[in-house]
Amino acid sequence: MNMAEAAALRLVCAERGWTEAAGPEDADLVLLHTCSVRATAEQRVFGRLGQYAALKKKRRSGGGRVALVLSGCMAARIGGEFKKQFPAIDYLMGPQERELFPRILETEERLFSSGTGEAAGTGAAAGTGAAAGTGAAAGTGAAAGTDRAFPAEKPVFSFAASHLEEGRFRSFLPIMHGCDNFCSYCIVPYVRGREVSRSPSAILDEIRLLAAGGVRELTLLGQNVNSYRWDAREEVTDFAGLLGLIAGELERLPGKPIGWVRFLSSHPKDLASEAIEVMASSPFFCRHLHLCVQHGSNRILAAMNRRYTREDYLDLVSRLLAAMPGLTLSTDILVGFPGETEEDLEETLDLMEKVRFLYAYMYHYNPREGTAAYGLEGRVGEKVKRERLARVIALQKKHTAFLLEGRIGRTETVLIEGISRKNADELVGRTERDEMVVLPGSASLIGSFAAVKFSSLSGNTLRGTLVQK
């Protein structure tokens, strides 16, 4: 989601004539778009802020200036406290306040044209829509130095019209925003807000735009795409209905330029049979699904407020595989949740053995202040968490190798994505099952679908050769 939002913000800059700088040292404006899902991500932002504060000080000493914008979930979660710790920040902009960004750019443009040395005011305060200090508010038309603020109404999330990145053949397409699940370990509902779905017409409009821009693969995005629901006076469109509309639109596009569609994230409790039927009936939907399980113990799943059991999850997996033979699955696994025992971990390992995920994002629990799990007793020690995580990782590596080795000798369609970073004479691509592939070939193939025969495995990457038609 952050990548899609960042692409939309870059488009706003381009529309106003801003160009991407070679690096921070050359920039007139630095935008940090942040994520609060992991504590480690937030720590990296704090480090970057220190660097940019030093950059601003250096630029100021030479008579220049640079504006610093902090956007995304951290701006919403921490808000004005950021300004106390990092006064170098000029603007704060939470996920619901993206509409302020053009006004921020307008203010900076006005300041540059007038030669003003500092940004007017202290920017948009997260969660209020008001300027946090004095000075000209972006987009109000007030002259620098006056005391005007952004409107103080509660911000409402709005979707950008386009998330197209020029030259990219794969594109993210947000269809909903926010989360109503309130898993006990998760900060997302508190910083993203409640669920908001995008209109089907706007989604289809953007699909046509992306197709015209050369996109070959779409990934539908949302904190919980399966709970998509658009209520119109005439009818209600749920996720299955949206998938049907998208498949129909892709079928009608001249030349059918977009060949594959993926989506994430999926919540197991909300993936309906109707959606599975639509996926199975259309060649556009990739035979891969990221289906977050988080844990294999019913006791821990209940404590996490996941609202399904391991039996529910395994039944869903069975139904998916029956409907779409050859489907690969990936997942998230969280170990070391408060109260987790050795028996709970064994249940997670057992579930992994039963499902055999192609890959998994595996991590151990870290308390997040503001979440329901923050005050839970029975926290697992760091040493034990690391040891349990290592066992989960080792088992997943075994499963990944087993599944990929079984693909050697097969010929599959691959979307060629670019040139390999490790070897300029090789191309890198991906199958609809979300398997990475490296092969020799011409750069002219980038952005096209090609038949590739897999010959060997290098780490977690298949190696192959082009099959001439």
Side-chain angles (χ1 to χ4, degrees):
M1 182 64 81
N2 268 27
M3 292 177 67
E5 291 172 345
L9 292 171
R10 279 194 291 269
L11 281 175
V12 173
C13 289
E15 288 168 357
R16 296 192 64 89
W18 291 68
T19 57
E20 191 167 346
E25 296 78 11
D26 305 310
D28 296 316
L29 180 143
V30 173
L31 170 65
L32 270 177
H33 193 58
T34 63
C35 174
S36 285
V37 173
R38 305 278 186 269
T40 51
E42 291 195 346
Q43 290 303 317
R44 287 195 293 270
V45 171
F46 286 125
R48 293 282 184 89
L49 285 172
Q51 297 173 19
Y52 294 138
L55 173 64
K56 288 195 67 170
K57 184 177 180 181
K58 179 180 179 181
R59 185 77 63 86
R60 189 183 300 115
S61 66
R65 63 185 303 278
V66 58
L68 181 56
V69 182
L70 189 133
S71 64
C73 291
M74 285 184 72
R77 191 178 81 79
I78 303 176
E81 292 298 314
F82 261 127
K83 285 293 298 177
K84 296 178 182 178
Q85 187 175 354
F86 295 97
I89 296 174
D90 296 296
Y91 305 95
L92 290 169
M93 183 174 68
Q96 280 80 8
E97 298 166 322
R98 192 175 58 239
E99 291 298 313
L100 297 177
F101 192 50
R103 301 162 69 183
I104 290 172
L105 295 179
E106 182 181 340
T107 294
E108 290 303 310
E109 293 159 9
R110 201 163 54 237
L111 293 174
F112 276 108
S113 63
S114 66
T116 304
E118 282 299 316
T122 54
T128 65
T134 60
T140 62
T146 63
D147 189 11
R148 297 288 297 278
F150 293 135
E153 70 269 12
K154 184 178 180 180
V156 177
F157 181 83
S158 61
F159 293 91
S162 174
H163 303 81
L164 175 67
E165 293 186 81
E166 188 174 349
R168 296 292 295 271
F169 300 100
R170 303 170 67 217
S171 181
F172 294 114
L173 176 59
I175 64 169
M176 60 86 65
H177 179 273
C179 183
D180 292 348
N181 287 313
F182 290 91
C183 299
S184 63
Y185 54 84
C186 186
I187 196 69
V188 168
Y190 304 98
V191 294
R192 289 279 180 178
R194 305 305 290 265
E195 292 176 359
V196 178
S197 292
R198 190 178 182 187
S199 76
S201 60
I203 294 170
L204 297 180
D205 284 345
E206 183 167 4
I207 286 176
R208 289 187 282 269
L209 181 67
L210 295 173
V215 168
R216 309 305 302 276
E217 177 187 300
L218 294 177
T219 298
L220 310 179
L221 287 182
Q223 276 68 42
N224 180 14
V225 291
N226 306 136
S227 64
Y228 175 92
R229 182 180 177 87
W230 179 259
D231 290 300
R233 291 182 179 179
E234 307 82 31
E235 59 182 332
V236 174
T237 303
D238 60 9
F239 185 57
L242 178 66
L243 293 183
L245 291 173
I246 290 172
E249 183 63 34
L250 296 180
E251 188 68 39
R252 289 188 294 271
L253 288 174
K256 301 179 185 178
I258 298 176
W260 287 350
V261 178
R262 306 180 190 272
F263 54 84
L264 55 91
S265 291
S266 291
H267 196 296
K269 74 176 177 62
D270 295 319
L271 184 54
S273 297
E274 293 80 1
I276 297 174
E277 291 174 9
V278 177
M279 292 170 60
S281 66
S282 172
F284 292 109
F285 299 109
C286 290
R287 293 316 187 236
H288 172 262
L289 183 62
H290 188 77
L291 192 63
C292 304
V293 67
Q294 299 297 356
H295 212 276
S297 162
N298 284 338
R299 192 176 66 85
I300 298 299
L301 287 171
M304 290 178 169
N305 193 36
R306 291 293 288 174
R307 287 180 279 177
Y308 56 82
T309 65
R310 63 178 281 126
E311 291 79 17
D312 294 333
Y313 188 90
L314 292 172
D315 176 69
L316 177 57
V317 168
S318 295
R319 289 188 283 119
L320 283 163
L321 295 177
M324 292 171 282
L327 178 80
T328 60
L329 294 168
S330 56
T331 198
D332 292 0
I333 297 176
L334 171 60
V335 302
F337 191 79
E340 182 190 70
T341 65
E342 178 64 23
E343 289 73 21
D344 295 320
L345 180 70
E346 289 293 338
E347 289 193 78
T348 297
L349 297 172
D350 177 72
L351 183 141
M352 293 173 66
E353 289 281 16
K354 286 181 167 63
V355 178
R356 297 204 172 188
F357 299 103
L358 177 63
Y359 61 86
Y361 298 102
M362 300 157 286
Y363 50 102
H364 64 67
Y365 174 76
N366 282 311
R368 300 304 307 278
E369 189 173 0
T371 63
Y374 184 75
L376 290 180
E377 297 179 353
R379 287 188 182 178
V380 180
E382 290 297 319
K383 183 179 180 180
V384 175
K385 286 194 293 188
R386 288 194 296 269
E387 186 273 336
R388 290 177 180 174
L389 180 59
R391 290 160 63 188
V392 168
I393 292 173
L395 181 59
Q396 182 55 53
K397 285 182 176 179
K398 175 184 172 183
H399 291 164
T400 298
F402 173 82
L403 292 172
L404 292 177
E405 286 168 358
R407 301 285 281 161
I408 295 174
R410 298 287 299 272
T411 298
E412 300 286 354
T413 300
V414 172
L415 175 58
I416 308 300
E417 298 178 357
I419 297 173
S420 170
R421 294 180 181 178
K422 296 182 179 180
N423 188 337
D425 295 325
E426 293 184 324
L427 302 174
V428 63
R430 189 184 306 265
T431 71
E432 67 168 326
R433 290 161 51 105
D434 212 25
E435 301 151 325
M436 292 300 299
V437 183
V438 169
L439 65 150
S442 167
S444 63
L445 292 171
I446 295 173
S448 65
F449 293 99
V452 178
K453 184 175 182 178
F454 308 137
S455 57
S456 63
L457 182 65
S458 176
N460 291 334
T461 302
L462 289 162
R463 302 191 68 85
T465 54
L466 288 169
V467 176
Q468 301 299 325
K469 295 183 179 180

